[in-house]
Amino acid sequence: MTMSDTANSGLIAKLVGPKRRWRQYKTRVRQLPPNYRAAVEAIEQHMMHFVPVDGEHDASRFDDLADLFEQAAADGTPIRAIVGEDPVQFVGTFVANYSDGGYVPARARKQLTEAITRAEQNQSRHRGRDDHADR
């Protein structure tokens, strides 16, 4: 393998690796129950306002987000128990572990808060149906 082959394979790995991880992450999110998926997608969209340190850290934060919600769904943990009363603060703290942050417009913060509230309400409705089905 020549020096240019090594350089090219590194470049290809950088280009293909993150894309592959992103597709795997999106597949995992699609497999979540609808209310958890809605919450993750809202958080994901909000996280796009933060500037990543590098591709590896950016991919890791999405993988970790999927891990968190997969475990919560498996345990039946309510969405609010994950994100708390202030989902904007949750995302800010979550992302701080992976980047130096970024500017998040007020409109985006409001959209996240509203999306989490809708996901939480859908979770409550699904629980109510499950409770009635047991009777």
Side-chain angles (χ1 to χ4, degrees):
M1 194 175 236
T2 68
M3 180 73 102
S4 63
D5 289 340
T6 304
N8 285 339
S9 67
L11 175 64
I12 291 169
K14 286 181 182 178
L15 294 175
V16 174
K19 281 186 179 180
R20 181 172 296 141
R21 279 181 79 177
W22 180 254
R23 284 192 297 267
Q24 290 169 341
Y25 159 77
K26 293 302 280 184
T27 297
R28 292 171 66 190
V29 170
R30 279 192 297 275
Q31 294 171 353
L32 289 169
N35 52 323
Y36 289 90
R37 183 174 55 242
V40 169
E41 288 171 348
I43 291 168
E44 173 188 305
Q45 184 165 355
H46 193 75
M47 286 194 320
M48 296 298 184
H49 293 282
F50 292 86
V51 179
V53 174
D54 60 47
E56 183 62 32
H57 279 91
D58 199 37
S60 292
R61 72 175 158 158
F62 287 105
D63 288 340
D64 291 349
L65 181 65
D67 289 343
L68 176 64
F69 275 83
E70 284 170 341
Q71 188 62 51
D75 295 342
T77 304
I79 292 168
R80 281 292 173 183
I82 303 165
V83 303
E85 289 305 311
D86 186 352
V88 173
Q89 182 181 7
F90 165 81
V91 174
T93 301
F94 185 85
V95 170
N97 294 314
Y98 304 92
S99 74
D100 293 329
Y103 171 73
V104 181
R107 180 176 49 89
R109 291 190 298 267
K110 181 179 179 194
Q111 287 172 334
L112 173 62
T113 301
E114 291 170 350
I116 293 297
T117 298
R118 283 190 303 276
E120 178 186 34
Q121 290 167 347
N122 287 337
Q123 185 175 31
S124 296
R125 278 190 224 123
H126 289 305
R127 270 207 192 110
R129 276 190 236 145
D130 293 342
D131 292 344
H132 294 302
D134 293 339
R135 292 182 186 162

